[in-house]
Amino acid sequence: MKSLTEIKNNIIPREKHKFGISYHCFVPLTMNNEKVINHFILFCHNTGLLIKYDEQNKSFHYQKLPICPAFNDFASYSFVYLHDFIFLFGGINSITHERTKLVYKYSMKDKIWDECKITLPMEINLSFAILSDDKNVHVIGGSNVKDEVQTIHLSVNVKELFINIYEKIIELKNEIMKMKLERPYIIPIEKQRMNEDEKENKEVIELPEDWKTRKTQIETFEKKLKEWNEEKRMESNGMNWDDIWGFDGELQQTKKR
């Protein structure tokens, strides 16, 4: 049986708050939509942290991150992460008990908070959000302003969050994949001896001009795709989410009143 190993620096350096850390947002850090191993982001009330774990030294390291001013003292929000952004949906102020229907996004790359122009159809907290095949965001359940449990299921297409850049990214990815699949096999060509003293034949790979052109196109597309993935600010849809959310359950009855 393996013995237990002590983990160093295992106390989270949170900011002072009456309610500590609970009902928080905790996600992996991503770069170019790929998870960074042993790096995580935590948001709760007035605490924002980048948490790094050093496996070799068995130690945690922490770096403070900016908290969204409008979400200070807030928790119990649902959240998803996609394309190096974190999206927070709703939540409740632990001090005033005020709930919100606002949606905020945080750029992992630029460490910037922005309020989305779109909102939830109602003020809600304690809901659960999940991505479906990177195509739809589902927000399920929660409590309303009267502290009543909601049996609702809201859904919205991710394109509504990434209205322009999302389509460009998908188009570029498909084009790159198509070009790579069409790339022909490269056949090594043995080069004639340049010197009789050489002991071994040297092989060189020569690409036809059309293959070189295709390779350049792929590199150009991949560079452009990286630029779009790293854009500082994504365009938000100006519509209110009352108009674009799909829903079922009690929310439908609420909207009819």
Side-chain angles (χ1 to χ4, degrees):
M1 180 181 294
K2 294 183 178 180
S3 60
L4 294 176
T5 303
E6 181 182 1
I7 302 297
K8 303 173 185 177
N9 200 22
N10 61 349
I11 304 298
I12 295 177
R14 64 179 178 85
E15 301 293 335
K16 291 184 179 180
H17 194 278
K18 179 179 179 180
F19 296 100
I21 292 179
S22 59
Y23 302 101
H24 49 276
C25 167
F26 187 75
V27 300
L29 173 69
T30 65
M31 294 180 63
N32 297 324
N33 213 31
E34 296 290 336
K35 294 180 182 179
V36 181
I37 297 176
N38 291 339
H39 285 64
F40 309 92
I41 290 178
L42 168 72
F43 288 119
C44 185
H45 296 132
N46 57 351
T47 295
L49 289 174
L50 171 63
I51 302 173
K52 297 178 284 186
Y53 178 61
D54 184 341
E55 288 191 61
Q56 184 174 359
N57 296 316
K58 296 179 175 56
S59 177
F60 281 101
H61 302 277
Y62 307 93
Q63 177 184 336
K64 287 187 178 182
L65 296 177
I67 286 291
C68 176
F71 265 25
N72 195 24
D73 293 327
F74 272 78
S76 300
Y77 25 62
S78 53
F79 54 89
V80 297
Y81 64 95
L82 182 66
H83 296 311
D84 303 342
F85 280 82
I86 301 173
F87 291 87
L88 302 185
F89 305 93
I92 186 172
N93 187 306
S94 299
I95 306 299
T96 66
H97 302 292
E98 172 193 3
R99 290 174 174 83
T100 181
K101 62 179 179 180
L102 298 180
V103 180
Y104 276 83
K105 68 174 182 286
Y106 174 77
S107 169
M108 299 187 195
K109 176 179 181 292
D110 301 310
K111 301 179 182 178
I112 293 175
W113 284 96
D114 279 310
E115 179 182 349
C116 295
K117 295 181 180 179
I118 49 182
T119 66
L120 290 167
M122 62 190 299
E123 291 83 0
I124 197 170
N125 73 300
L126 290 174
S127 59
F128 177 78
I130 189 171
L131 274 171
S132 173
D133 299 324
D134 288 351
K135 294 181 180 179
N136 293 283
V137 177
H138 301 269
V139 178
I140 303 170
S143 297
N144 64 10
V145 293
K146 296 181 180 180
D147 207 25
E148 298 170 336
V149 175
Q150 301 298 292
T151 56
I152 60 174
H153 173 195
L154 310 172
S155 64
V156 66
N157 194 294
V158 170
K159 290 183 180 180
E160 302 295 343
L161 294 174
F162 303 90
I163 190 65
N164 289 329
I165 189 172
Y166 182 80
E167 294 178 356
K168 293 177 182 178
I169 288 174
I170 297 301
E171 182 180 348
L172 269 182
K173 283 184 176 179
N174 291 338
E175 185 65 23
I176 290 172
M177 181 61 67
K178 179 181 177 182
M179 293 179 71
K180 286 183 175 180
L181 290 175
E182 291 178 351
R183 182 189 298 173
Y185 291 103
I186 298 174
I187 303 175
I189 301 175
E190 187 177 64
K191 188 178 180 181
Q192 294 181 351
R193 288 187 179 180
M194 301 296 296
N195 193 318
E196 294 182 356
D197 294 333
E198 290 180 347
K199 295 181 179 180
E200 297 180 356
N201 291 334
K202 295 183 179 179
E203 292 184 350
V204 295
I205 298 175
E206 297 182 357
L207 292 176
E209 287 302 319
D210 59 331
W211 295 3
K212 292 180 181 179
T213 301
R214 188 172 293 271
K215 181 175 181 292
T216 301
Q217 289 176 338
I218 291 176
E219 291 174 349
T220 301
F221 275 127
E222 289 180 333
K223 181 180 179 181
K224 190 64 177 177
L225 177 59
K226 183 177 180 181
E227 290 176 357
W228 275 332
N229 272 327
E230 294 180 352
E231 276 190 356
K232 290 186 176 181
R233 299 180 183 274
M234 296 182 300
E235 299 180 19
S236 297
N237 186 3
M239 295 177 61
N240 188 287
W241 280 20
D242 289 10
D243 301 318
I244 61 177
W245 278 99
F247 55 86
D248 54 25
E250 293 184 0
L251 179 62
Q252 189 168 8
Q253 299 176 7
T254 303
K255 291 176 70 68
K256 289 181 179 179
R257 294 176 184 174

